[in-house]
Amino acid sequence: MLSDNIFLKIVEGKIPAKIIHSDDQCLAFHDIHPQAPVHVLIIPRKVIATHDTLQKEDAPLLGHMNLVAVKLAQELGLVDGYRLIINCKDQGGQTVPHLHMHLMGGRPLSWPPG
Ligand code: 5GP
């Protein structure tokens, strides 16, 4: 996993991103290397490094991020379905040390992942 939290720089407006949703709890923007016709990242404004460091107090935030995913899936036309992914730490494939949810769709997605 990278040591640099590039997503915090996006939250702070220090580097650009194609932001499609912003509120007091989270941001959503297009992934820089999309793996599907729709590939959006939903991230909390709060710094949470990995999924396994979530605390009880973060439950409403995660619920909110899921509802933002539903809204964006509708706005982006993912009527036939989509996939939500949270990669956790090295074996989960996480590269950026800031919790993020991938919203992917627009093509059939195979299972199981690699
Ligand atoms: P992870 O592998 O940590 O679950 O996912 C990190 C994702 O962030 C990758 O899909 C990668 O393409 C994306 N990403 C990395 N750096 C940037 C960036 O600077 N801007 C944007 N928009 N996406 C990024």
Side-chain angles (χ1 to χ4, degrees):
M1 185 151 54
L2 300 172
S3 55
D4 194 25
N5 184 354
I6 198 140
F7 291 170
L8 180 58
K9 292 185 178 138
I10 291 175
V11 169
E12 292 173 339
K14 290 179 179 161
I15 64 163
K18 291 183 183 168
I19 294 173
I20 56 169
H21 175 90
S22 176
D23 63 38
D24 60 332
Q25 298 180 69
C26 69
L27 284 183
F29 49 87
H30 291 285
D31 195 290
I32 204 165
H33 297 303
Q35 302 299 315
V38 172
H39 188 172
V40 165
L41 301 170
I42 304 166
I43 70 169
R45 288 185 179 276
K46 176 181 175 183
V47 175
I48 299 171
T50 58
H51 187 264
D52 67 347
T53 61
L54 279 169
Q55 304 292 309
K56 224 174 188 175
E57 73 221 31
D58 298 320
L61 170 62
L62 264 287
H64 176 71
M65 288 168 61
N66 273 276
L67 291 173
V68 168
V70 172
K71 180 193 82 121
L72 292 176
Q74 287 168 354
E75 289 176 3
L76 295 165
L78 301 180
V79 289
D80 293 328
Y82 54 84
R83 187 169 291 168
L84 285 178
I85 302 163
I86 297 176
N87 295 325
C88 182
K89 303 203 311 198
D90 288 341
Q91 287 211 346
Q94 183 179 3
T95 56
V96 179
H98 188 114
L99 180 74
H100 49 282
M101 193 182 273
H102 298 252
L103 168 63
M104 301 175 70
R107 66 169 172 83
L109 297 165
S110 60
W111 192 263

